[in-house]
Amino acid sequence: TQLLEQSPQFLSIQEGENLTVYCNSSSVFSSLQWYRQEPGEGPVLLVTVVTGGEVKKLKRLTFQFGDARKDSSLHITAAQPGDTGLYLCAGPSGYALNFGKGTSLLVTP
Amino acid sequence: KAGVTQTPRYLIKTRGQQVTLSCSPISGHRSVSWYQQTPGQGLQFLFEYFSETQRNKGNFPGRFSGRQFSNSRSEMNVSTLELGDSALYLCASSRDTINTGELFFGEGSRLTVL
């Protein structure tokens, strides 16, 4: 099993702050995905990164895939309360996705 | 279009009982996978079905089983329930392979075992 470790586990910040969360593995992945899960709901895909060194932007969210395709980061600029949720990274393993345990983000007004 | 539908949303069982959870994928999606989510272990892969065939199985005991029907709907069953089976069970569907495709998750079935 290819393990994905996410850090930090918990993050509590105020509205307007910037933050970065990390997803690391000792294994090489063909791609990595980031999902966000809100309470009472299933995870929703935010982005898929495929190429080493790739940077993708989704409004205030910036995703980066490491050059060696072993790690990824998610940077949020000027966080808003609506960004609150569990951020999960996932990588393919056969016909399954391996998920990290997630970073639980709380953004307070 | 309608999303992934899971039933029931909540259920309470006692140790030793068995439970069946149902998942209706998005229309046109042929792959259905199941995950168990707990606070301690996060999301763990249970199994994946494509066109009624199980293509992959996670590291769970044989008490956990599933199947997929010809209309792509899927069920999972847990027999001889244990306290540790309390979790959110999530179903996800996708068009075909999931290596690069998007998984669409349902809202989950929250199982409590007493």
Side-chain angles (χ1 to χ4, degrees), chain A residues 33 35 37 42 94-95 97 101, chain B residues 35 37 40 98-99 101-103 106:
Chain A
Q33 297 181 338
Y35 288 79
Q37 183 178 20
Y95 293 113
L97 276 181
K101 292 187 178 182
Chain B
Y35 290 81
Q37 186 175 30
I98 62 172
N99 282 338
E102 176 178 2
L103 284 186

Side-chain angles (χ1 to χ4, degrees), chain B:
Chain B
K1 56 183 177 182
V4 177
T5 304
Q6 291 188 245
T7 57
R9 288 291 313 280
Y10 302 92
L11 65 166
I12 299 174
K13 294 285 187 178
T14 57
R15 281 180 296 175
Q17 288 187 310
Q18 66 93 27
V19 65
T20 299
L21 309 177
S22 179
C23 172
S24 294
I26 292 172
S27 178
H29 286 194
R30 298 166 64 188
S31 170
V32 174
S33 51
W34 289 88
Y35 290 81
Q36 181 195 66
Q37 186 175 30
T38 59
Q41 298 300 318
L43 271 153
Q44 292 186 290
F45 172 72
L46 281 158
F47 24 67
E48 189 262 355
Y49 289 88
F50 181 82
S51 293
E52 302 178 68
T53 299
Q54 185 183 89
R55 296 194 297 188
N56 203 358
K57 190 177 192 302
N59 190 26
F60 278 82
R63 300 185 297 107
F64 292 81
S65 63
R67 58 178 176 170
Q68 186 180 33
F69 302 96
S70 58
N71 62 358
S72 293
R73 191 177 69 85
S74 177
E75 289 182 347
M76 68 162 284
N77 184 77
V78 187
S79 62
T80 318
L81 284 166
E82 301 177 359
L83 295 178
D85 297 333
S86 294
L88 180 67
Y89 290 88
L90 289 162
C91 167
S93 75
S94 65
R95 284 194 185 280
D96 37 60
T97 64
I98 62 172
N99 282 338
T100 55
E102 176 178 2
L103 284 186
F104 294 83
F105 284 88
E107 294 179 315
S109 292
R110 183 165 296 281
L111 170 65
T112 301
V113 182
L114 302 176

Side-chain angles (χ1 to χ4, degrees), chain A residues 4 21-24 27-35 45-58 61-75 88-92 97, chain B residues 98-102:
Chain A
L4 287 165
V21 298
Y22 302 92
C23 173
N24 294 291
S27 303
V28 175
F29 284 92
S30 58
S31 64
L32 278 179
Q33 297 181 338
W34 285 91
Y35 288 79
L45 180 69
L46 295 173
V47 76
T48 301
V49 286
V50 179
T51 306
E54 180 178 7
V55 176
K56 281 192 173 180
K57 293 191 175 184
L58 184 66
L61 279 60
T62 301
F63 303 85
Q64 186 163 9
F65 200 11
D67 291 340
R69 291 186 286 129
K70 291 183 178 181
D71 56 88
S72 181
S73 63
L74 159 60
H75 181 80
L88 297 156
C89 67
L97 276 181
Chain B
I98 62 172
N99 282 338
T100 55
E102 176 178 2

